[in-house]
Structure formats: C-alpha cells, structure tokens
Amino acid sequence: MALSPYQQLEQEFRRLHAFRSAASILRWDSAVMMPRGSSDLRGEQLAALETESHALLVSPRVSRLIERADANAQMLEDWQIANLHEMRRERDHSIATPRSLVSRLAKVTSKAEVKWLEAKQKSDFSIFAPHLEEVIGLLRDKASLLGKALNLDPYDALADEFSPGLRSEQIDTVFTALGRRLPGLIHEVIEHQERRPALEITGRFSTSKQRGLATELMKAFGFPFDRGRLDESEHPFTGGAPGDIRITTRFSASEPLTGLMGVLHETGHAMYDVGLPEAWRGLPVGRDRGMAMQESQSLLLEMLICRNRPFLQYLKPLLEKAFGVSGPEWEVENLYRLLTRVRRSLVRVDADEVTYPVHILLRYELETEILRGELRVKDLPEVWNTRIEDRLGVRPSNDSEGCLQDVHWAVGSFGYFPSYAMGGVIAAQLYESLRADRPELDQEIAAGHFAGLFDWLKQNVHGLGASISMPELIQRATGKPLTAAAWLRYAEGKYLE
C-alpha cells in the first residue's frame, strides 16, 4: 500500500532527525574527547551535516508533501496536525536561510568555539575577538533574512529558534519585573543570611567518589545509563539525543557540592528528554517545547527540588557514606544554608538562585546591542565589567571571569540566554501547581521516592512533546499565563524565611 503524503513526510523528518542527532554527538565529542587540533575537520563534518539537513528541509519534495498533507489534514489525528504545523514551521525557517550561510556558520562557529576555549584558558579576549566578529556578521545576515521571512524582529527571529513563540515583548515584561525587585532582594537576603552564617566544608574529595555519588543520584531519578552517559567538560551541558543522552559536568576536589549540583541540573534536562513520547521520536512534534521549557526542567530539579530540605534529608546519609564524613557542617540545616547562600559572584554557572537572573539580564542586554550594532565587539570586555559591577557590586579581574566565561556566543547562540531566566520563572510557576497537586511531595522526596515528581512532569510537560505551544502548556499545567509573580513569591519565601 502506497504511503500517504503525511507518512512520506514522517520518513523525511526522521531522516532529518538522524542527521541532527549525529551532529549533536559530534558536538559532544568536540567538548569532551576531540583533540584540539581536529577542529577544522570537525567543522567540515558539522557543515556537511548542517548542509544536508538544510537541503532536505528546503527541497521541493518536502514542500510538495507538506502542501498535499495539509490539503488532507481532515484525515489526520490532532497530534499529526500539530506535527504538520511544526514541519511547516521548520521548512519556512530553513527556506529563509540560504544553504551557503548555514555552511559558513557551521564552519565559523566550530573554529570560534576552539578559539574561545583557548582565549578563556589564557584569559585573553583578543584571541577570540576576530572570530566572534565573524560569527556576529553571519548572525546579522541570518537574523535579517529570518526576520523578513517570518515577519519578526531580527532578535526575535533568532530567539524563536531556541524557544518557539518567545518574543522580546514577553521577555522585557518579565525581566522588567525581575530587574525592579532583584537589587533590593539581593541586599535583603545577604543581610538576612549574615545573621546565620553557614559552616564551611573543607578538605579534599576524590572526584571518582563524586562521580560515583552523582551516578547513584541519576539512577534514583530514573536516568537510563543503557542509553546515556556522564562525562566531564569545561562547560557543563546535556547533548546527544533522546535515546542517546550525554551529560557533562565539572568536578572540583575542594568543592564536592558544586559538581554534584551541576549533575542534578543537567539531569533535569536529561529527564525531560527521557520523558518525551517515544511514539513521536524523530518527529518535530516529539521534541521538547524549546529551551525555556528545557531550562525550567533543569532549574526545577536543581534549585527548587534538590536545594531544599526534604532532598537534603535524603542526600545527607549518601554524602556521609560516599566521603566518609560527619559533623555539624554535614547536617541538613548547614547543607541547606550552604546551597542557598547568596553571594555577589562573577561567574554565571556558579551563581546562586537569586543573583543568577542578573547575569542573564546583562547578557540579554549586551547581545541585543551587539546584534543591532550599538556595541562593538572590541568594547565588550570593558562594558561587561562596568555593567556587572553596577548591578552586583563586583568587577572581573580578568577576561575569563568576565566576558569569556560562556561558550554561547562562540557557537552562534544569540537569543539563547533569555531562556535561562525565563526557565526559572516557568519552573516556579510549575512548582506551585506541582505542590498543590501533590501535597505529599516533600515526604516522597525525603524518602528518596521520585516517581511521583516525574509522573507529574511527564503528564504536564514531558509527555506533551511539542504538540502544544509553550504558553498553552503553561496555562494548562498551572491555570495561569506566565508572569514573574510565582518566582518572586518563591524567592522571597525561601530566602527571607
């Protein structure tokens, strides 16, 4: 029996998924295992996969199949209609971006990532600057083409690739509310915490033991090690694809909680991928609902669940067993104070939950100015240093703890940063509903039972894939549209208790 146009489209998009999954594994390898001198070859490999993916999407065959499937949409189920919508959206994005631009971006960002790492290690922005200039030039071309084709502001056109439907107007509304409250809140929390200081953890802790503990926790959450791995990299991330999930973190022998929290954060991402509907794997409707939703899952797990007393009741004996430790600094209340301590820190990935949004607001401001040509690349280090000092009262002493600390701009991810803070806002709103629906949640977490947590997330977030929009998902799960209100209630309640 001949396949319908829609079924033929499914075949084409599963092939596209295979290309993208291979590219994701190659990027993971670049960060974890690849010899530095192989960057040019890796750039060629990634460019080839990107070019093939782009060629598939803009092919006349795919366009014809989309139109024919659309004409027979009455024969499709609801999820298939949603899938067809996502297919069309991807096709339109790709048509707006010439193949030559896709290939050049893949090559340029692959080399820029290597130069970024060298510059960071040497704390010398000048090594990276010309490569960033090249990336930005190509991104301006891409943003302009996408913006015209999709009737979007150039920045929104880039952000839409990471969080479909997220617009500057919504970002600005949420960020304005956060920006108004954060300076005062940070001051109040630091003053409040100074009256009950935490005891410091000292000593050296084997990274192999840290890794063992992290693996134990990942298994408790349900991470499938037969279809995934944990490794180390300069910048923690989750890569691969559903069915082959790659987590990385950084372990420190003197700070055993830092690497662990990094793993828990990335496990939040991974469990979102694990919970996506298997029947839709390889299809646009079977993907996550964008990076803001992804970040909501990592922040929900790390910040709202794991940096909280019930989880620490479960974690305390595991820490004592793994490291052979005991004493007042390892008691639940002290661990809680350590993990919720607010400091005016310079490094985003090490920032606490209250100051973290300040880092994102800064990057959002800078990348929009750079994209519009209002800020020159050569001025970035000084402008960065001045503005972070204005907001947090601390100034970077070198480029590595300043504008070189993140890899995102090197790989062309302009429009990505807002998803971090928006993810925190989404997480807080989901958490309110989760606690209302599962009043026994704290008792379950303290006992090391996480099935209820992930069942709720699968029902309300993970299992929906991309079948509905992000605003619709949030409205359905929480009964409200997204605002900053739940995050502000959560932060004030937790940090000013």
Coordinates of all heavy atoms in Angstrom, one line a residue, residues 435-468:
R435 N 3.1 21.3 43.8 CA 2.9 21.2 45.2 C 1.5 21.1 45.6 O 1.0 20.4 46.5 CB 3.6 22.3 46.0 CG 5.2 22.2 45.9 CD 5.8 23.3 46.8 NE 5.5 23.1 48.2 CZ 6.2 22.3 49.0 NH1 7.2 21.6 48.5 NH2 5.8 22.1 50.2
A436 N 0.7 21.9 44.9 CA -0.8 21.9 45.1 C -1.4 20.5 44.8 O -2.3 20.0 45.5 CB -1.5 23.0 44.4
D437 N -0.9 20.0 43.7 CA -1.4 18.7 43.2 C -0.9 17.5 44.0 O -1.6 16.5 44.1 CB -1.1 18.5 41.7 CG -1.8 19.4 40.8 OD1 -2.8 20.1 41.2 OD2 -1.5 19.5 39.6
R438 N 0.3 17.6 44.5 CA 0.9 16.5 45.3 C 1.4 17.1 46.7 O 2.5 17.3 46.9 CB 2.1 16.0 44.6 CG 1.8 15.3 43.2 CD 3.0 14.5 42.7 NE 3.2 13.3 43.5 CZ 2.5 12.2 43.4 NH1 1.6 12.0 42.5 NH2 2.9 11.1 44.2
P439 N 0.4 17.2 47.6 CA 0.8 17.7 48.9 C 1.8 16.8 49.7 O 2.4 17.2 50.6 CB -0.6 17.8 49.7 CG -1.5 16.9 48.9 CD -1.0 17.0 47.5
E440 N 1.9 15.5 49.2 CA 2.8 14.6 49.9 C 4.2 14.7 49.3 O 5.1 13.9 49.6 CB 2.3 13.2 49.7 CG 2.3 12.6 48.3 CD 1.1 13.0 47.4 OE1 0.5 14.1 47.7 OE2 0.8 12.3 46.5
L441 N 4.5 15.7 48.4 CA 5.8 15.7 47.6 C 7.0 15.8 48.6 O 7.9 15.0 48.3 CB 5.8 17.0 46.7 CG 7.0 17.1 45.9 CD1 7.1 16.0 44.8 CD2 7.0 18.5 45.2
D442 N 7.0 16.6 49.6 CA 8.1 16.7 50.5 C 8.5 15.4 51.1 O 9.6 15.0 51.2 CB 7.9 17.8 51.5 CG 8.0 19.2 51.0 OD1 8.4 19.3 49.8 OD2 7.7 20.1 51.7
Q443 N 7.4 14.6 51.6 CA 7.7 13.4 52.2 C 8.3 12.4 51.2 O 9.1 11.6 51.6 CB 6.4 12.8 52.8 CG 5.8 13.6 54.0 CD 5.2 14.9 53.7 OE1 4.8 15.1 52.6 NE2 5.3 15.9 54.6
E444 N 7.8 12.4 50.0 CA 8.3 11.5 49.0 C 9.7 11.8 48.7 O 10.6 10.8 48.6 CB 7.5 11.6 47.7 CG 6.0 11.1 47.8 CD 5.2 11.4 46.5 OE1 5.6 12.2 45.7 OE2 4.2 10.7 46.4
I445 N 10.1 13.1 48.5 CA 11.5 13.4 48.2 C 12.4 13.0 49.3 O 13.5 12.5 49.1 CB 11.6 15.0 47.9 CG1 10.7 15.3 46.7 CG2 13.0 15.4 47.7 CD1 11.1 14.7 45.4
A446 N 12.0 13.3 50.6 CA 12.8 13.0 51.7 C 13.1 11.5 51.8 O 14.2 11.1 52.3 CB 12.2 13.5 53.0
A447 N 12.2 10.7 51.3 CA 12.4 9.2 51.4 C 13.1 8.7 50.1 O 13.3 7.5 50.0 CB 11.0 8.6 51.5
G448 N 13.4 9.6 49.2 CA 14.1 9.2 48.0 C 13.2 8.6 47.0 O 13.7 7.8 46.1
H449 N 12.0 8.9 47.0 CA 11.0 8.4 46.1 C 10.7 9.5 45.1 O 10.0 10.5 45.4 CB 9.7 7.9 46.8 CG 9.9 6.8 47.7 ND1 9.2 6.6 48.8 CD2 10.9 5.9 47.8 CE1 9.6 5.6 49.5 NE2 10.7 5.1 48.9
F450 N 11.1 9.4 43.8 CA 11.0 10.5 42.9 C 10.0 10.2 41.7 O 9.8 11.0 40.8 CB 12.3 10.8 42.2 CG 13.4 11.1 43.3 CD1 14.3 10.2 43.7 CD2 13.4 12.4 43.9 CE1 15.3 10.5 44.6 CE2 14.3 12.7 44.8 CZ 15.3 11.8 45.2
A451 N 9.3 9.0 41.8 CA 8.4 8.6 40.7 C 7.2 9.6 40.7 O 6.8 10.0 39.5 CB 7.9 7.2 41.0
G452 N 6.7 10.0 41.8 CA 5.6 11.0 41.8 C 5.9 12.3 41.1 O 5.1 12.8 40.4
L453 N 7.1 12.8 41.4 CA 7.6 14.0 40.8 C 7.6 13.9 39.3 O 7.1 14.7 38.5 CB 9.0 14.3 41.3 CG 9.8 15.4 40.6 CD1 9.1 16.8 40.6 CD2 11.2 15.4 41.1
F454 N 8.3 12.8 38.8 CA 8.5 12.7 37.4 C 7.2 12.2 36.6 O 7.0 12.5 35.5 CB 9.6 11.8 37.0 CG 11.0 12.4 37.4 CD1 11.7 12.0 38.4 CD2 11.4 13.5 36.6 CE1 12.9 12.6 38.7 CE2 12.6 14.1 36.9 CZ 13.4 13.7 38.0
D455 N 6.3 11.6 37.4 CA 5.0 11.3 36.8 C 4.2 12.6 36.5 O 3.6 12.7 35.5 CB 4.2 10.4 37.7 CG 4.6 8.9 37.7 OD1 5.4 8.6 36.8 OD2 4.2 8.2 38.6
W456 N 4.2 13.5 37.5 CA 3.5 14.8 37.3 C 4.2 15.5 36.1 O 3.4 16.1 35.3 CB 3.6 15.6 38.6 CG 2.7 16.8 38.6 CD1 1.5 16.9 39.0 CD2 3.1 18.1 38.0 NE1 1.0 18.2 38.8 CE2 1.9 19.0 38.2 CE3 4.2 18.7 37.4 CZ2 1.9 20.3 37.9 CZ3 4.2 20.0 37.1 CH2 3.1 20.8 37.3
L457 N 5.5 15.6 36.1 CA 6.2 16.3 35.0 C 5.9 15.6 33.6 O 5.7 16.3 32.6 CB 7.7 16.3 35.3 CG 8.1 17.2 36.4 CD1 9.6 17.1 36.7 CD2 7.7 18.7 36.1
K458 N 5.8 14.3 33.6 CA 5.6 13.7 32.3 C 4.2 14.0 31.9 O 3.9 14.2 30.7 CB 5.8 12.1 32.4 CG 5.6 11.4 31.1 CD 6.2 10.0 31.1 CE 6.2 9.4 29.7 NZ 6.8 8.1 29.6
Q459 N 3.2 14.0 32.8 CA 1.8 14.2 32.4 C 1.6 15.7 32.0 O 0.9 16.0 31.0 CB 0.9 13.9 33.6 CG -0.6 14.2 33.4 CD -1.4 14.0 34.6 OE1 -1.0 13.3 35.5 NE2 -2.7 14.4 34.6
N460 N 2.3 16.6 32.6 CA 2.0 18.0 32.4 C 3.0 18.7 31.5 O 2.7 19.8 30.9 CB 2.0 18.8 33.7 CG 0.8 18.4 34.5 OD1 -0.3 18.9 34.3 ND2 0.9 17.5 35.5
V461 N 4.2 18.1 31.3 CA 5.2 18.8 30.4 C 5.9 17.8 29.5 O 5.7 17.9 28.2 CB 6.4 19.4 31.3 CG1 7.4 20.1 30.4 CG2 5.8 20.4 32.3
H462 N 6.6 16.8 30.0 CA 7.4 15.9 29.1 C 6.6 15.2 28.1 O 7.0 15.2 26.9 CB 8.2 14.9 30.0 CG 9.0 15.5 31.1 ND1 9.6 14.8 32.0 CD2 9.3 16.8 31.3 CE1 10.3 15.6 32.9 NE2 10.1 16.8 32.5
G463 N 5.5 14.6 28.5 CA 4.8 13.7 27.6 C 4.0 14.4 26.5 O 3.5 13.8 25.6
L464 N 3.9 15.8 26.6 CA 3.2 16.5 25.6 C 4.1 16.9 24.4 O 3.6 17.3 23.3 CB 2.7 17.9 26.2 CG 1.7 17.7 27.3 CD1 1.3 19.0 27.9 CD2 0.4 17.0 26.8
G465 N 5.5 16.7 24.6 CA 6.4 17.0 23.5 C 6.2 18.4 23.0 O 6.1 19.4 23.8
A466 N 6.1 18.6 21.7 CA 5.8 19.9 21.1 C 4.4 20.0 20.5 O 4.2 20.7 19.5 CB 6.9 20.2 20.0
S467 N 3.5 19.2 21.1 CA 2.1 19.1 20.5 C 1.3 20.4 20.8 O 0.3 20.6 20.1 CB 1.4 17.9 21.0 OG 1.2 18.0 22.4
I468 N 1.7 21.2 21.8 CA 1.0 22.5 22.0 C 2.1 23.5 22.3 O 3.3 23.2 22.5 CB 0.1 22.4 23.3 CG1 0.8 22.0 24.5 CG2 -1.1 21.4 23.0 CD1 0.0 22.0 25.8

